């Protein structure tokens, strides 16, 4: 059931007819061919709509750090730190310092 000839002309005619009615910012997805060689209708897309295929894939901060080593999460922070966050940061620094000093002391003594 292969049709020859007229399919391309039909597609061009459909596209020309639909482009006359498009408003500013709208666009048209050209007709595609089915396996049985018939044509699908061209699809008009409204202004401002993003097709699902063109939407950017969401990446978490962890994925950004893993895949892009130049990503710095400290720069991305837009909110000021809360009182408890500052206190936790000080505790963490103190803990790291104590652990490091303990490790150094154990190595010297032993």
């Amino acid at each position: 059931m292969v049709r020859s000839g007229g399919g391309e002309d039909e597609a061009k005619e459909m596209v020309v007819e639909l482009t006359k009615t498009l408003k500013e910012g709208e666009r048209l997805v050209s007709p595609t061919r089915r396996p049985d060689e018939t044509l699908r209708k061209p699809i008009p897309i409204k202004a401002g709509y993003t097709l699902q295929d063109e939407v950017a894939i969401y990446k978490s901060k962890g994925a950004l750090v893993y895949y892009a080593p130049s990503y710095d999460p400290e720069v991305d922070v837009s909110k000021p730190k809360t009182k408890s966050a500052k206190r936790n940061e000080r505790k963490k620094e103190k803990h790291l310092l104590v652990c490091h000093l303990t490790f150094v002391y154990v190595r010297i003594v032993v």
Side-chain angles (χ1 to χ4, degrees):
M1 290 182 64
V2 177
R3 294 183 187 181
S4 59
E8 293 173 10
D9 294 334
E10 290 175 25
K12 288 179 183 176
E13 289 174 13
M14 281 194 284
V15 169
V16 169
E17 186 177 316
L18 283 173
T19 53
K20 293 177 184 176
T21 60
L22 289 178
K23 296 175 184 169
E24 187 176 330
E26 292 183 347
R27 57 192 173 124
L28 199 63
V29 174
S30 60
T32 56
R33 194 169 296 281
R34 294 186 183 104
D36 66 349
E37 296 295 319
T38 58
L39 291 172
R40 294 182 177 90
K41 291 182 182 178
I43 304 168
I45 298 176
K46 294 185 178 183
Y49 180 76
T50 305
L51 292 174
Q52 190 172 5
D53 298 340
E54 298 172 0
V55 174
I57 297 172
Y58 171 77
K59 289 189 178 179
S60 66
K61 290 182 182 178
L64 290 174
V65 170
Y66 182 76
Y67 292 112
S70 63
Y71 173 75
D72 186 14
E74 295 298 324
V75 175
D76 195 30
V77 177
S78 58
K79 295 186 276 184
K81 292 183 181 178
T82 62
K83 185 177 177 181
S84 59
K86 291 177 186 176
R87 184 176 64 236
N88 289 339
E89 190 174 310
R90 284 195 307 268
K91 281 183 178 180
K92 188 176 182 180
E93 289 172 1
K94 184 178 176 184
H95 176 72
L96 290 174
L97 181 64
V98 169
C99 288
H100 178 70
L101 291 176
T102 305
F103 178 72
V104 171
Y105 177 73
V106 170
R107 286 194 58 159
I108 293 172
V109 172
V110 176

